[in-house]
Amino acid sequence: MKKFLNAPETAVDDALAGLAAAHPELAVDRALRVVARASGARPGKVGLVSGGGSGHEPLHTGFVGPGMLDAACAGEIFSSPTPDRILAATRAAAAGAGVVHIVKNYTGDNLNFDMAAELAREEGIEVAKVTVADDVAVEDAGTAGRRGTGAALIVEKTAGARAEEGADLAAVVAVARQAAESSRSYAVALTAGTVPTTGRPSFELPDDLVESGVGIHGEPGRSRAPLRPARDLAAAIADAVLADLPRRNEPVIALVNGLGATPLMELYVVYGHVAEELAHRGIAIARNLVGTYVTSLDTAGVSLTLCRADPALLRLWDAPVRTPALRWG
């Protein structure tokens, strides 16, 4: 294993220290592993909080800032943050109008966010939960059901914009749930990621095979097939997502996302073929995003997320955002 680390045990803390040094607009509590806006919560604004295991950067800590999250908490690599840390993030985001927890659908995340929400309610903070479960590769990931993956970005962006406008808790929750329920994702990998504490790939994959339906915690996929040209892989990924995408007469937001070690050149190759596939099916792409946003350490892979988006959701997607990893407007 070759990585730019001091020691596997300090990787998360060292990364948070670097995030704090690079982005003074963030307040980084390294002891609690909570990242919040340095300006503090805006009075009367609904707060947005998310989090999860480390190793998925820039998700979620890289999405803290105007137009997206108010706070995020980081767990150990591929492990949920503990309830006390989620509670600290909730406190940092609370400004009198309630807080929305955006939670990827994994057993540990659900349990810990639910416990933190109960503790927050005991302190008088109103908390609502929105679950992201967009991965069509599995119906049952342990006991939680479908996994939460790339759609978390779309949920956080659109709900964050609605909260920034001054909407109340119910309206922000409605947008977040609309985005979550309108999104589907699927991922493939050419190599598995290497967890620093183990020093070896999460699964073995021969050079001539592709793993289809991988998760973002190093979970192997639902099938393996010979490596094929990007055009064929893009068609297969699009087929998997479209087979379960809500069949509404709306365009889509398309996210082609790298899983950590995929060059941008290859992501654009995949996006070009995805765009062709959707055009052949009569599906318009209203907005797109191509890059590395929801990762699985150094996995060489790509995921596709499609979200059916009405004009109201597109307006929120277009709204200004200023975070370390996403900024426009």
Side-chain angles (χ1 to χ4, degrees), residues 301-317:
V302 62
S303 66
L304 171 66
T305 301
L306 298 179
C307 174
R308 290 286 190 186
D310 62 16
L313 206 64
L314 291 176
R315 179 184 64 80
L316 294 170
W317 177 262

Side-chain angles (χ1 to χ4, degrees), residues 115-299:
M115 189 177 299
E118 286 303 313
L119 295 171
R121 293 184 186 110
E122 291 176 4
E123 298 182 4
I125 302 171
E126 187 176 5
V127 179
K129 176 184 175 183
V130 174
T131 304
V132 181
D134 53 305
D135 185 3
V136 302
V138 289
E139 283 298 337
D140 184 9
T143 60
R146 284 188 172 176
R147 304 176 291 214
T149 58
L153 183 156
I154 298 174
V155 173
E156 291 170 12
K157 172 63 187 75
T158 52
R162 192 72 179 100
E164 214 71 50
E165 294 177 341
D168 63 15
L169 184 65
V172 175
V173 168
V175 164
R177 288 181 176 157
Q178 177 189 352
E181 292 165 3
S182 299
S183 299
R184 301 291 187 272
S185 300
Y186 192 80
V188 301
L190 307 180
T191 66
T194 300
V195 178
T197 52
T198 66
R200 58 181 181 273
S202 300
F203 55 86
E204 297 296 330
L205 183 62
D207 290 344
D208 60 343
L209 296 181
V210 174
E211 190 88 13
S212 297
V214 295
I216 60 171
H217 295 95
E219 306 99 325
R222 64 183 185 184
S223 64
R224 290 183 175 183
L227 179 62
R228 294 170 285 167
R231 178 180 291 103
D232 298 335
L233 289 174
I237 297 169
D239 283 342
V241 174
L242 292 172
D244 201 84
L245 190 70
R247 300 182 186 279
R248 302 196 301 263
N249 188 27
E250 295 169 343
V252 297
I253 298 169
L255 167 64
V256 169
N257 169 69
L259 295 182
T262 308
L264 187 57
M265 179 182 72
E266 295 176 30
L267 296 180
Y268 278 123
V269 170
V270 171
Y271 178 79
H273 293 309
V274 166
E276 291 173 355
E277 289 295 326
L278 296 189
H280 291 159
R281 292 164 170 79
I283 298 173
I285 298 176
R287 305 290 187 272
N288 68 73
L289 187 63
V290 181
T292 299
Y293 297 100
V294 182
T295 63
S296 181
L297 292 171
D298 55 345
T299 299

Side-chain angles (χ1 to χ4, degrees), residues 11 15 26 33 40 48 50 58 69 74 78 90 104 144 149 172 179 200 204 216 307 322:
L26 300 178
R33 294 181 177 170
L48 261 68
S50 193
L69 299 176
F78 295 171
T90 304
K104 300 191 305 304
T149 58
V172 175
R200 58 181 181 273
E204 297 296 330
I216 60 171
C307 174
R322 191 168 71 254

Side-chain angles (χ1 to χ4, degrees), residues 1-12 14-15 77 195-197:
M1 181 179 73
K2 288 184 177 180
K3 291 182 179 291
F4 290 102
L5 300 176
N6 297 309
E9 297 76 18
T10 67
V12 175
D14 291 345
I77 292 175
V195 178
T197 52

